[in-house]
Amino acid sequence: MYSVNFISEEYFTDLTVKVSKSYRNTSISNIANLVFSELNSTKKINIDPTIVSQDLVIPNWTPFSAMNWLANRAISGSYKGANYLFYEN
Protein backbone atom coordinates (compact mmCIF):
# COMPACT_ATOMS: atom_id res chain seq x y z
CA MET A 1 0.00 0.00 0.00
CA TYR A 2 1.27 3.47 -0.88
CA SER A 3 0.57 6.67 0.99
CA VAL A 4 1.21 10.11 -0.46
CA ASN A 5 1.36 12.86 2.14
CA PHE A 6 1.28 16.64 1.76
CA ILE A 7 -0.13 16.61 -1.77
CA SER A 8 -3.49 18.16 -2.57
CA GLU A 9 -6.27 16.77 -4.73
CA GLU A 10 -5.75 19.78 -7.00
CA TYR A 11 -2.17 18.68 -7.65
CA PHE A 12 -3.35 15.29 -8.90
CA THR A 13 -6.07 16.92 -11.01
CA ASP A 14 -3.44 19.28 -12.46
CA LEU A 15 -1.50 16.27 -13.72
CA THR A 16 -4.44 15.07 -15.82
CA VAL A 17 -6.10 18.30 -17.02
CA LYS A 18 -4.89 20.47 -19.91
CA VAL A 19 -6.06 23.99 -20.75
CA SER A 20 -6.08 24.90 -24.42
CA LYS A 21 -8.18 28.02 -24.94
CA SER A 22 -8.04 31.52 -26.34
CA TYR A 23 -9.32 34.56 -24.48
CA ARG A 24 -10.19 37.81 -26.25
CA ASN A 25 -10.20 41.22 -24.58
CA THR A 26 -10.20 39.75 -21.06
CA SER A 27 -8.27 40.75 -17.93
CA ILE A 28 -5.72 38.31 -16.58
CA SER A 29 -7.56 38.12 -13.24
CA ASN A 30 -10.69 36.87 -15.05
CA ILE A 31 -8.65 34.38 -17.08
CA ALA A 32 -6.99 33.12 -13.88
CA ASN A 33 -10.43 32.50 -12.36
CA LEU A 34 -11.50 30.53 -15.43
CA VAL A 35 -8.30 28.46 -15.45
CA PHE A 36 -8.64 27.73 -11.73
CA SER A 37 -12.19 26.48 -12.31
CA GLU A 38 -10.72 23.75 -14.55
CA LEU A 39 -9.41 22.11 -11.36
CA ASN A 40 -12.96 21.64 -10.00
CA SER A 41 -11.70 22.72 -6.61
CA THR A 42 -13.80 23.71 -3.61
CA LYS A 43 -10.91 25.82 -2.27
CA LYS A 44 -11.13 29.59 -2.30
CA ILE A 45 -8.68 31.43 -4.52
CA ASN A 46 -7.64 35.01 -3.89
CA ILE A 47 -7.01 36.90 -7.13
CA ASP A 48 -6.48 40.66 -7.07
CA PRO A 49 -7.96 42.60 -9.98
CA THR A 50 -5.64 43.34 -12.87
CA ILE A 51 -5.66 46.10 -15.46
CA VAL A 52 -5.30 45.96 -19.23
CA SER A 53 -7.53 43.58 -21.13
CA GLN A 54 -5.56 41.28 -23.38
CA ASP A 55 -5.96 38.65 -26.08
CA LEU A 56 -4.20 35.50 -24.86
CA VAL A 57 -3.89 31.87 -25.90
CA ILE A 58 -3.07 29.13 -23.41
CA PRO A 59 -1.59 26.30 -25.51
CA ASN A 60 -2.39 22.93 -23.90
CA TRP A 61 -0.78 23.61 -20.52
CA THR A 62 -1.71 22.27 -17.10
CA PRO A 63 -3.75 24.71 -14.99
CA PHE A 64 -0.82 25.31 -12.59
CA SER A 65 1.54 26.09 -15.49
CA ALA A 66 -1.04 28.44 -16.98
CA MET A 67 -1.58 30.17 -13.62
CA ASN A 68 2.16 30.74 -13.19
CA TRP A 69 2.42 32.14 -16.72
CA LEU A 70 -0.55 34.44 -16.09
CA ALA A 71 0.98 35.60 -12.80
CA ASN A 72 4.12 36.69 -14.68
CA ARG A 73 2.06 38.77 -17.14
CA ALA A 74 -0.33 40.34 -14.61
CA ILE A 75 -0.30 44.05 -13.84
CA SER A 76 -1.99 45.01 -10.59
CA GLY A 77 -4.93 47.37 -10.66
CA SER A 78 -4.41 48.27 -6.99
CA TYR A 79 -0.67 48.44 -6.31
CA LYS A 80 2.08 50.18 -8.28
CA GLY A 81 4.91 47.85 -9.23
CA ALA A 82 3.26 44.83 -7.61
CA ASN A 83 4.15 41.39 -8.92
CA TYR A 84 1.92 38.35 -8.70
CA LEU A 85 2.71 34.91 -7.38
CA PHE A 86 0.69 31.72 -7.71
CA TYR A 87 1.15 29.18 -4.93
CA GLU A 88 -0.81 26.71 -2.87
CA ASN A 89 -0.45 26.30 0.87
Side-chain angles (χ1 to χ4, degrees):
M1 182 167 154
Y2 292 98
S3 175
V4 178
N5 297 312
F6 305 109
I7 301 218
S8 68
E9 290 292 324
E10 289 79 12
Y11 177 79
F12 287 113
T13 303
D14 182 67
L15 296 174
T16 60
V17 172
K18 298 289 185 184
V19 178
S20 184
K21 293 184 181 176
S22 65
Y23 301 92
R24 293 187 53 87
N25 199 27
T26 308
S27 70
I28 288 182
S29 54
N30 288 339
I31 297 170
N33 271 322
L34 294 170
V35 170
F36 184 76
S37 70
E38 297 287 332
L39 293 172
N40 296 319
S41 175
T42 58
K43 292 181 180 175
K44 183 182 178 222
I45 186 169
N46 181 20
I47 299 175
D48 287 333
T50 58
I51 59 173
V52 184
S53 294
Q54 299 183 22
D55 296 337
L56 297 173
V57 176
I58 298 176
N60 203 35
W61 290 341
T62 65
F64 284 177
S65 296
M67 295 287 283
N68 281 315
W69 182 73
L70 290 168
N72 286 331
R73 298 181 58 88
I75 301 170
S76 175
S78 305
Y79 307 102
K80 286 191 173 192
N83 292 325
Y84 282 81
L85 174 67
F86 172 66
Y87 68 96
E88 180 180 11
N89 63 3

